[in-house]
């Protein structure tokens, strides 16, 4: 729709601070999905085929004429057909890994084509690769769920999540396409399992449907709030400004750190806008319905793309990571990390640095091939392990007893610990995220250099202090805490 794009270009230039038209078109597509979601939820549950067809046709309309991503539609149509064949006809235990590799290689081709185009034009644009990233999560998750549901295969290391979403039979073609091309979350997510999609299709409860608009439009308003933040400040706070030498002419390290953290918030507001609006559209369509509890009350599962409070107020790096891009994190944990580390089914967390680094490298591969992605994810992986070491050795000192009987001094120590954790975690996240936004290697390294490589050096120092010099043993003996055996926790119950 050339006329629509021309109108949106004028809107962006006159009222939205010159935000790229492709971003505005994406938001318009998400908003149109609210209108379609109202119609979708009114299709009776007994007409499942009609719901699948409505979803597919809606996606073709939104991603084709509205967003003009016809090439992306062709790519994902061909990819979905090929992957469905692999899932249906390959019977070996390697099926999900073959699907994973095929989907990732196909997306890699799209990423490379995008980077070639951006290098030749000098402009970074939103194209169909964002939707293809959601597509890859869905089809690879489906492959693993089908494999997990095979009755003749023993899975001693399956998590509760994997058991819940296991599928005993390959879905039919129409259901598969309705799931993969679900209109409300096609461009920006959230990604979800087939079992979640099936519950939405089967939703036929008036009480539940009455709850949908309130829950959905609350997400829309939240997204609108973050859109205002992004429009107002996206031209004022940028990581690109921090790559220029003149930026540091009259700034201290503390001033640069404050600017970096503010920039991180503004950059994230663009993601909050799209993700929260996308969540609302999915909720309005009925996604997240999870049956009823023992008293007959409607239950809803969490289908959030992001938990904003956890990202902005979390007191640990792990909490920040877990709250960001939740659908992707769920995929990486249950279909990548746990498959690598072979965590036992009882939920015990593996402490393998190798599994963590490999998982973050898969995440970087999923995002694309800009060097900045790999700098970000490698540093985040190492920082997450360093933070785990610190927490393992320091948390018992600051945590409150389970009975909550603690002195005023102990409470002050706990408060200081949480505040310090919040500040350090936020700065680490924003420092590590800089290359992700800058993309290129040289400017990213220059930005880190101009900020004295604070985070990489701190991570290195933590590894040396605790793994080589035995700082943990010294600290615990100094305060009278019992020594920790490798991989074990103290028996004393503490309040987080």
């Amino acid at each position: 729709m050339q006329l629509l794009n021309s109108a949106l270009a004028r809107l962006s230039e006159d009222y939205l601070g010159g935000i790229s038209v492709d971003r505005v078109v994406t938001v318009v597509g998400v908003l149109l999905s609210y209108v379609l979601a109202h119609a979708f939820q009114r299709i009776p549950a007994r007409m499942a085929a009609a719901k699948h067809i409505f979803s597919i046709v809606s996606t073709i309309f939104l991603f084709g004429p509205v967003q003009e991503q016809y090439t992306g539609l062709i790519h994902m149509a061909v990819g979905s057909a090929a992957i469905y064949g692999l899932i249906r006809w390959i019977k070996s235990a390697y099926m999900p890994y073959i699907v994973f590799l095929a989907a990732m290689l196909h997306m890699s081709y799209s990423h490379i084509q995008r980077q070639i185009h951006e290098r030749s034009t000098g402009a970074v644009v939103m194209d169909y690769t964002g939707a293809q990233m959601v597509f890859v999560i869905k089809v690879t998750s489906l492959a693993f769920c089908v494999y997990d549901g095979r009755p003749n295969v023993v899975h001693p290391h399956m998590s509760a999540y994997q058991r819940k979403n296991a599928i005993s039979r390959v879905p039919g073609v129409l259901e598969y396409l309705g799931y993969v091309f679900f209109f409300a979350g096609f461009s920006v997510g959230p990604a979800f399992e087939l079992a979640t999609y099936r519950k939405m299709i089967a939703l036929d409860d008036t009480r539940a449907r009455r709850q949908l608009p309130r829950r959905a439009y609350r997400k829309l308003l939240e997204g609108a709030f973050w859109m205002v933040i992004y429009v107002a400040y996206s031209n004022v706070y940028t990581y690109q400004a921090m790559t220029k030498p003149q930026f540091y002419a009259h700034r201290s390290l503390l001033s640069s750190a404050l600017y970096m953290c503010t920039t991180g918030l503004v950059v994230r507001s663009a993601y909050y806008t799209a993700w929260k609006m996308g969540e609302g559209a999915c909720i309005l369509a009925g996604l997240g319905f999870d049956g009823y509890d023992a008293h007959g009350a409607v239950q809803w599962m969490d289908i959030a793309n992001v938990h904003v409070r956890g990202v902005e107020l979390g007191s640990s790096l792990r909490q920040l990571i877990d709250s960001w891009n939740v659908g992707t994190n769920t995929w990486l944990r249950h279909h990548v990390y746990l498959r690598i580390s072979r965590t036992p089914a009882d939920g015990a967390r593996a402490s393998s640095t190798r599994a963590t680094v490999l998982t973050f490298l898969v995440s970087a591969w999923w995002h694309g091939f800009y060097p900045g992605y790999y700098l970000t994810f490698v540093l985040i992986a190492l920082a997450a392990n360093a933070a785990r070491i610190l927490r393992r050795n320091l948390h018992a000192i600051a945590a409150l007893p389970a009975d909550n009987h603690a002195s005023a001094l102990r409470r002050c120590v706990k408060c200081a610990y949480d505040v310090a954790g919040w500040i350090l975690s936020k700065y680490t996240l924003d420092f590590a995220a800089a290359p992700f936004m800058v993309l290129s290697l040289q400017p990213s390294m220059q930005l880190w250099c101009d900020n004295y490589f604070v985070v990489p050096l701190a991570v290195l120092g933590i590894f040396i202090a605790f793994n080589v010099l035995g700082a943990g043993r010294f600290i615990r003996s100094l305060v009278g805490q019992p020594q920790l055996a490798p991989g074990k926790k103290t028996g004393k119950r503490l309040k987080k």
Side-chain angles (χ1 to χ4, degrees), residues 246-265:
Q246 57 267 30
F247 175 85
Y248 302 93
H250 304 289
R251 290 181 185 271
S252 64
L253 179 61
L254 177 60
S255 176
S256 297
L258 291 173
Y259 181 94
M260 181 181 289
C261 291
T262 305
T263 299
L265 174 62

Side-chain angles (χ1 to χ4, degrees), residues 64-359:
V66 175
Q67 298 189 44
E68 296 186 334
Q69 298 291 351
Y70 297 104
T71 301
L73 277 177
I74 294 172
H75 268 283
M76 281 175 275
V78 173
S80 62
I83 288 171
Y84 185 78
L86 294 175
I87 293 174
R88 177 166 287 277
W89 300 113
I90 297 180
K91 304 300 182 183
S92 76
Y94 295 105
M95 181 274 291
Y97 302 98
I98 294 172
V99 169
F100 189 95
L101 184 61
M104 291 290 285
L105 288 176
H106 181 199
M107 186 175 62
S108 297
Y109 171 81
S110 300
H111 279 313
I112 291 171
Q113 290 296 109
R114 176 191 177 186
Q115 289 182 218
I116 292 173
H117 174 75
E118 290 175 352
R119 178 169 293 183
S120 63
T121 60
V124 177
V125 298
M126 293 183 66
D127 64 354
Y128 67 87
T129 52
Q132 192 172 10
M133 291 162 74
V134 179
F135 169 86
V136 166
I137 292 179
K138 285 184 177 181
V139 296
T140 55
S141 297
L142 177 62
F144 279 113
C145 289
V146 169
Y147 173 73
D148 290 339
R150 289 179 177 175
N152 58 335
V153 179
V154 178
H155 306 282
H157 301 292
M158 283 177 64
S159 66
Y161 177 93
Q162 291 166 345
R163 288 193 296 271
K164 177 182 177 181
N165 291 286
I167 299 169
S168 58
R169 296 179 60 185
V170 177
V173 174
L174 188 59
E175 183 185 32
Y176 167 76
L177 293 176
Y179 163 66
V180 170
F181 289 93
F182 176 61
F183 68 96
F186 186 75
S187 294
V188 298
F192 47 88
E193 304 284 4
L194 178 63
T196 304
Y197 177 78
R198 284 176 168 173
K199 290 180 179 179
M200 176 190 65
I201 295 297
L203 176 58
D204 190 21
D205 185 283
T206 304
R207 291 176 303 157
R209 286 203 297 266
R210 286 201 197 102
Q211 298 177 21
L212 297 177
R214 177 178 56 83
R215 299 177 66 246
Y217 284 104
R218 187 164 47 193
K219 299 292 184 182
L220 178 62
L221 290 175
E222 189 176 350
F225 167 80
W226 290 110
M227 182 172 65
V228 171
I229 299 295
Y230 183 75
V231 170
Y233 298 105
S234 60
N235 291 328
V236 180
Y237 296 96
T238 67
Y239 279 114
Q240 283 70 21
M242 299 188 71
T243 64
K244 297 176 172 55
Q246 57 267 30
F247 175 85
Y248 302 93
H250 304 289
R251 290 181 185 271
S252 64
L253 179 61
L254 177 60
S255 176
S256 297
L258 291 173
Y259 181 94
M260 181 181 289
C261 291
T262 305
T263 299
L265 174 62
V266 173
V267 168
R268 287 191 295 276
S269 68
Y271 291 90
Y272 296 158
T273 298
W275 283 347
K276 286 301 175 184
M277 288 182 175
E279 286 174 29
C282 289
I283 290 171
L284 191 58
L287 193 68
F289 174 69
D290 199 22
Y292 311 91
D293 62 17
H295 304 287
V298 178
Q299 294 188 115
W300 301 98
M301 68 181 69
D302 182 15
I303 61 165
N305 267 316
V306 61
H307 297 134
V308 177
R309 181 174 296 183
V311 175
E312 301 303 334
L313 300 178
S315 60
S316 70
L317 187 60
R318 173 52 54 190
Q319 185 178 357
L320 269 62
I321 294 171
D322 289 345
S323 300
W324 176 261
N325 208 350
V326 177
T328 303
N329 279 333
T330 300
W331 172 65
L332 288 170
R333 174 169 177 75
H334 294 285
H335 300 306
V336 178
Y337 179 82
L338 294 183
R339 312 275 176 177
I340 295 172
S341 63
R342 296 299 182 187
T343 302
D346 60 6
R349 177 175 294 178
S351 59
S352 170
T353 301
R354 172 178 169 272
T356 300
V357 172
L358 286 176
T359 302

Side-chain angles (χ1 to χ4, degrees), residues 398-421:
L400 300 177
D403 58 12
N404 215 23
H405 293 155
S407 65
L409 177 61
R410 187 69 179 269
R411 292 182 182 278
C412 289
V413 170
K414 176 63 167 63
C415 181
Y417 175 86
D418 289 339
V419 171

Side-chain angles (χ1 to χ4, degrees), residues 317-318 382-392 462:
L317 187 60
R318 173 52 54 190
L382 295 175
N385 276 283
R388 187 181 301 122
I389 292 172
L390 282 179
R391 184 175 181 82
R392 182 168 175 262
I462 290 170

Side-chain angles (χ1 to χ4, degrees), residues 362-381:
V362 169
S363 181
W365 180 19
W366 178 74
H367 281 87
F369 297 101
Y370 282 108
Y373 295 160
Y374 294 84
L375 290 176
T376 291
F377 287 111
V378 169
L379 180 56
I380 284 288

